[in-house]
Amino acid sequence: MRGTPSVTMFTSKCLFPQRSEMEKRISLTQGLEMRTCIESNAGLLSNFEVLELLRQRGAAKGPLGGSITPSEYKVYEYLVETPAGTQTKEVLQEFVKEVKSFKLMEAERLQSVNLRPSTAVEVHLIVEDCDERLSSEAVDALIQTVERVIPSPPEKPQEEVEAGQEEDGGEEEEEDGE
């Protein structure tokens, strides 16, 4: 027998204040090949909260350095390139306070944090019955709030930007040559 596995507790209180009353948590059992969920459907997590969980489990060290699987490391790699990569608990708490006047549902707040909408079209995709619930001025105010409170996603390194431009340029040259 392998012994008793350690249990990591991750408590989410930053995005949704009501969770402090219900104490939503995800518990993962480590040290076994199979992980056991202690409390299923405990609540929704933002991308930032998932990223923090992966960081706590050693994802920044890579799949071999921490206690994560290769697929969890892929999730970590993806999330650090999204707006979640630059967010903090304080930013999320501030955002929740700022958007109370818009009367967004929990899932709409979550999607706003995760996706960081920057156009009216994106807001309409996130907010259910947006035309009925928010005026065009309120949509613009929500976009301004998102841009002011939630930091932009991390910028790609210059090498990646140049590589993308070279690929685009190469395709244009081939088309010109035909």
Side-chain angles (χ1 to χ4, degrees):
M1 190 158 190
R2 290 188 185 179
T4 308
S6 62
V7 176
T8 301
M9 303 295 286
F10 181 72
T11 304
S12 172
K13 293 182 183 177
C14 62
L15 185 57
F16 304 106
Q18 70 271 22
R19 287 191 183 163
S20 60
E21 298 167 8
M22 299 174 64
E23 195 63 30
K24 303 285 185 175
R25 66 179 179 260
I26 291 183
S27 301
L28 299 175
T29 304
Q30 298 176 335
L32 298 174
E33 290 178 17
M34 193 169 109
R35 290 186 170 79
T36 305
C37 183
I38 308 294
E39 184 178 339
S40 65
N41 297 323
L44 302 172
L45 294 175
S46 70
N47 288 352
F48 167 75
E49 293 166 319
V50 172
L51 183 60
E52 283 300 301
L53 173 65
L54 292 172
R55 284 181 177 147
Q56 288 175 5
R57 297 191 54 221
K61 299 174 188 171
L64 301 175
S67 60
I68 62 168
T69 64
S71 61
E72 290 172 321
Y73 184 69
K74 288 288 188 190
V75 171
Y76 170 80
E77 283 183 321
Y78 169 75
L79 288 177
V80 295
E81 299 296 325
T82 67
T86 56
Q87 294 172 358
T88 64
K89 288 180 184 180
E90 293 76 23
V91 165
L92 297 184
Q93 289 170 342
E94 178 67 23
F95 180 75
V96 169
K97 288 178 191 173
E98 293 278 333
V99 298
K100 278 187 180 180
S101 63
F102 297 104
K103 297 183 175 136
L104 298 176
M105 292 183 277
E106 182 177 354
E108 294 166 344
R109 288 192 309 263
L110 179 68
Q111 289 299 312
S112 296
V113 166
N114 287 345
L115 300 175
R116 196 180 182 274
S118 59
T119 66
V121 171
E122 292 171 324
V123 171
H124 280 263
L125 292 171
I126 292 170
V127 179
E128 188 176 331
D129 299 324
C130 189
D131 288 334
E132 297 170 10
R133 294 175 48 208
L134 299 175
S135 66
S136 61
E137 294 82 17
V139 169
D140 292 338
L142 179 59
I143 292 169
Q144 290 173 355
T145 301
V146 167
E147 290 175 349
R148 182 173 38 82
V149 177
I150 301 176
S152 299
E155 292 187 23
K156 291 184 178 180
Q158 189 61 30
E159 299 90 36
E160 287 183 30
V161 173
E162 290 172 0
Q165 291 173 348
E166 287 175 9
E167 288 175 12
D168 292 341
E171 290 174 12
E172 290 175 9
E173 290 174 14
E174 288 176 14
E175 291 173 8
D176 292 339
E178 288 179 15

